Amino acid sequence: MRRLRRLVHLVLLCPFSKGLQQGRLPGIRVKYVLLVWLGIFVGSWMVYVHYSSYSELCRGHVCQVVICDQYRKGIISGSVCQDLCKLQKVEWRTCLSSAPGQQVYSGLWQDKEVTIKCGIEEALNSKAWPDAVPGRELVLFDKPTRGTSIQEFREMILSFLKANLGDLPSLPALVDQILFMADLNKDSRVSLAEAKSVWALLQRNEFLLLLSLQEKEHASRLLGYCGDLYLTEGIPRGSWHGAVLLPALRPLLPSVLHRALQQWFGPAWPWRAKIAIGLLEFVEELFHGSYGTFYMCETTLANVGYTAAYDFKMADLQQVAPEATVRRFLQGRHCEHSSDCIYGRDCRAPCDRLMRQCKGDLIQPNLAKVCELLRDYLLPGAPADLREELGKQLRTCTTLSGLASQVEAHHSLVLSHLKTLLWREISNTNYS
């Protein structure tokens, strides 16, 4: 034990030869040396975590190899397949993935900033790379099977849409649109590869949302696809907190730090007011649109994106879900408390304690959750003569409760008042 203590003493004091000659160092020097060693340890750990997390989260090369392998075999097709796999005209840039199974990259295609998205769950779950491609082919591109008629494929799509969006009169038109998109050479026929690609895309929640909300100005436009890989408009500004954070660190940051980053690096207050108006308009678009009602099931500042003109753009639709999908997941689900009845991050339904089953209606509507977000987004830095009234209206908005399907009138009134208040403040200025 004495030898060990002596060795530690020598290691800590070796940088300070003068101190060793004197036999003793002041306590402050010992603390300094310990802090240096601690800094080296923490720095090394952060470097290790960064590179190990990056290799797990960022596997765009795997995604491209898998997709192009299927394309060369004639299993899939798509409007960007040739540029992606043969001409190498799709440029992969910054990795923005927050989960290994959903690859997200910024990129460039046809001189346009794009976002590249691709799911590689099957490939990641395979033990060896040689088995990954066949596994993906069997699981993901298994439908429709050879011999399926176009009428049968149409019925497949319609049944799928009814299950996920509800039985709506607008669905046949959406089916026609999907088949038109699948027919790449516009010969009024859909090949098996074209059908397999579109069917695989429909299994991606965000792709279904992009189709359903494509006429809305606050959702990104779909630009092209290959198999179940698809390209949308470039990531809006403001999302991912300026892309200054490592992908592995984004989910770990507390909400307080998210808000602080938004205030430090975000736009000036009048621009934030304009972005907030767009977010409120997006809430309106989700409520009783052409393809039903949609719920925002992860309401965070990370999804508050905007264009160069400070018009709101939803940065990520992964956690926006159709009402029919949420109901199917929740209704009849076993529960003890309402905390057992959650879809996504914050779509919560009441629990029937007597039946011990979740109900299908949500407790909190979209608007109430968005207003909670806007309190932290708008109140800091708001004009003094506006802050009190804005705070009052936001508090009223956050208290909206009751079943989400039964608050339409009050919901619309509160939303209208908020938009009017914000527009009044920035109208007739350079910010409007």
Side-chain angles (χ1 to χ4, degrees):
M1 182 61 71
R2 281 183 183 176
R3 289 182 178 179
L4 181 60
R5 288 178 180 172
R6 185 177 181 83
L7 181 61
V8 171
H9 183 73
L10 289 172
V11 169
L12 286 175
L13 301 183
C14 64
F16 303 94
S17 57
K18 183 178 179 181
L20 285 174
Q21 292 170 4
Q22 294 175 351
R24 177 177 295 181
L25 278 175
I28 189 169
R29 286 194 176 183
V30 175
K31 290 179 183 178
Y32 174 77
V33 172
L34 287 174
L35 286 174
V36 170
W37 276 102
L38 182 61
I40 293 172
F41 171 77
V42 171
S44 302
W45 179 82
M46 289 183 68
V47 170
Y48 168 76
V49 168
H50 166 52
Y51 283 105
S52 61
S53 300
Y54 187 89
S55 63
E56 282 293 318
L57 287 175
C58 302
R59 298 193 174 188
H61 62 289
V62 175
C63 193
Q64 185 170 2
V65 168
V66 171
I67 287 292
C68 291
D69 179 80
Q70 304 299 292
Y71 171 64
R72 294 186 185 101
K73 289 179 179 178
I75 295 170
I76 61 173
S77 66
S79 55
V80 300
C81 285
Q82 190 168 6
D83 284 351
L84 178 71
C85 301
K86 287 186 176 180
L87 304 179
Q88 305 295 319
K89 288 186 176 180
V90 178
E91 181 182 340
W92 299 65
R93 290 185 170 178
T94 307
C95 173
L96 302 170
S97 309
S98 58
Q102 179 64 27
Q103 294 297 295
V104 182
Y105 278 76
S106 65
L108 191 69
W109 179 60
Q110 295 184 349
D111 298 323
K112 290 180 290 193
E113 296 284 341
V114 298
T115 303
I116 308 167
K117 299 190 177 183
C118 175
I120 56 172
E121 294 90 344
E122 291 83 6
L124 287 173
N125 290 335
S126 300
K127 292 182 180 178
W129 168 244
D131 297 329
V133 175
R136 183 175 176 80
E137 173 186 338
L138 290 173
V139 174
L140 184 60
F141 303 115
D142 61 338
K143 292 179 181 179
T145 56
R146 187 172 299 277
T148 302
S149 68
I150 187 65
Q151 186 57 39
E152 289 171 333
F153 186 48
R154 179 187 292 274
E155 290 300 323
M156 277 177 61
I157 296 175
L158 183 59
S159 297
F160 175 83
L161 295 177
K162 283 181 179 179
N164 287 276
L165 299 177
D167 192 357
L168 304 169
S170 55
L171 292 187
L174 183 57
V175 173
D176 290 338
Q177 186 181 325
I178 291 170
L179 291 174
F180 181 79
M181 181 186 70
D183 182 13
L184 295 174
N185 54 9
K186 306 308 174 196
D187 61 354
S188 300
R189 299 172 58 189
V190 178
S191 68
L192 185 60
E194 290 170 339
K196 283 179 180 287
S197 298
V198 167
W199 184 256
L201 282 168
L202 287 174
Q203 312 312 306
R204 301 290 175 200
N205 178 64
E206 187 183 38
F207 184 83
L208 180 59
L209 269 292
L210 286 172
L211 286 179
S212 304
L213 300 172
Q214 61 186 325
E215 297 176 0
K216 311 301 184 183
E217 63 174 304
H218 300 300
S220 296
R221 285 190 308 113
L222 176 69
L223 300 178
Y225 67 94
C226 181
D228 72 325
L229 176 149
Y230 57 96
L231 274 57
T232 66
E233 292 176 312
I235 290 285
R237 299 183 181 190
S239 57
W240 312 113
H241 297 304
V244 295
L245 298 175
L246 302 176
L249 296 180
R250 293 177 197 132
L252 303 178
L253 288 181
S255 58
V256 174
L257 188 52
H258 276 294
R259 292 194 293 269
L261 286 172
Q262 186 66 47
Q263 291 168 26
W264 293 338
F265 300 108
W269 188 89
W271 290 130
R272 277 186 275 150
K274 185 180 180 183
I275 294 165
I277 291 169
L279 177 55
L280 293 170
E281 290 172 348
F282 181 69
V283 171
E284 286 182 296
E285 292 170 355
L286 295 182
F287 201 67
H288 291 326
S290 302
Y291 302 112
T293 296
F294 296 86
Y295 295 137
M296 299 172 70
C297 293
E298 184 173 358
T299 316
T300 66
L301 285 176
N303 288 330
V304 178
Y306 51 90
T307 66
Y310 296 94
D311 293 316
F312 170 77
K313 281 282 186 182
M314 191 68 176
D316 186 10
L317 290 173
Q318 286 289 339
Q319 294 300 325
V320 176
E323 180 182 28
T325 300
V326 176
R327 280 179 176 274
R328 188 174 65 248
F329 177 84
L330 290 173
Q331 204 154 22
R333 190 180 184 87
H334 176 78
C335 65
E336 299 291 338
H337 309 281
S338 61
S339 58
D340 299 323
C341 303
I342 299 178
Y343 180 94
R345 178 175 173 176
D346 53 22
C347 281
R348 188 188 301 268
C351 174
D352 187 327
R353 298 281 185 89
L354 184 62
M355 301 295 294
R356 292 190 175 182
Q357 289 184 344
C358 298
K359 297 180 180 179
D361 284 300
L362 299 187
I363 297 172
Q364 193 177 31
N366 288 333
L367 184 58
K369 290 187 285 189
V370 164
C371 286
E372 286 182 6
L373 193 70
L374 291 181
R375 279 199 302 187
D376 296 320
Y377 190 68
L378 287 179
L379 289 180
D385 59 340
L386 177 73
R387 190 177 297 117
E388 184 178 352
E389 178 62 22
L390 179 60
K392 179 181 176 181
Q393 290 206 23
L394 287 173
R395 281 193 299 273
T396 300
C397 178
T398 56
T399 59
L400 280 175
S401 60
L403 301 182
S405 61
Q406 298 175 2
V407 295
E408 184 170 0
H410 193 197
H411 172 119
S412 300
L413 186 63
V414 171
L415 192 148
S416 177
H417 284 170
L418 263 175
K419 284 174 57 180
T420 301
L421 182 66
L422 293 172
W423 267 124
R424 191 189 306 143
E425 185 64 27
I426 65 172
S427 61
N428 301 319
T429 68
N430 294 332
Y431 299 100
S432 60

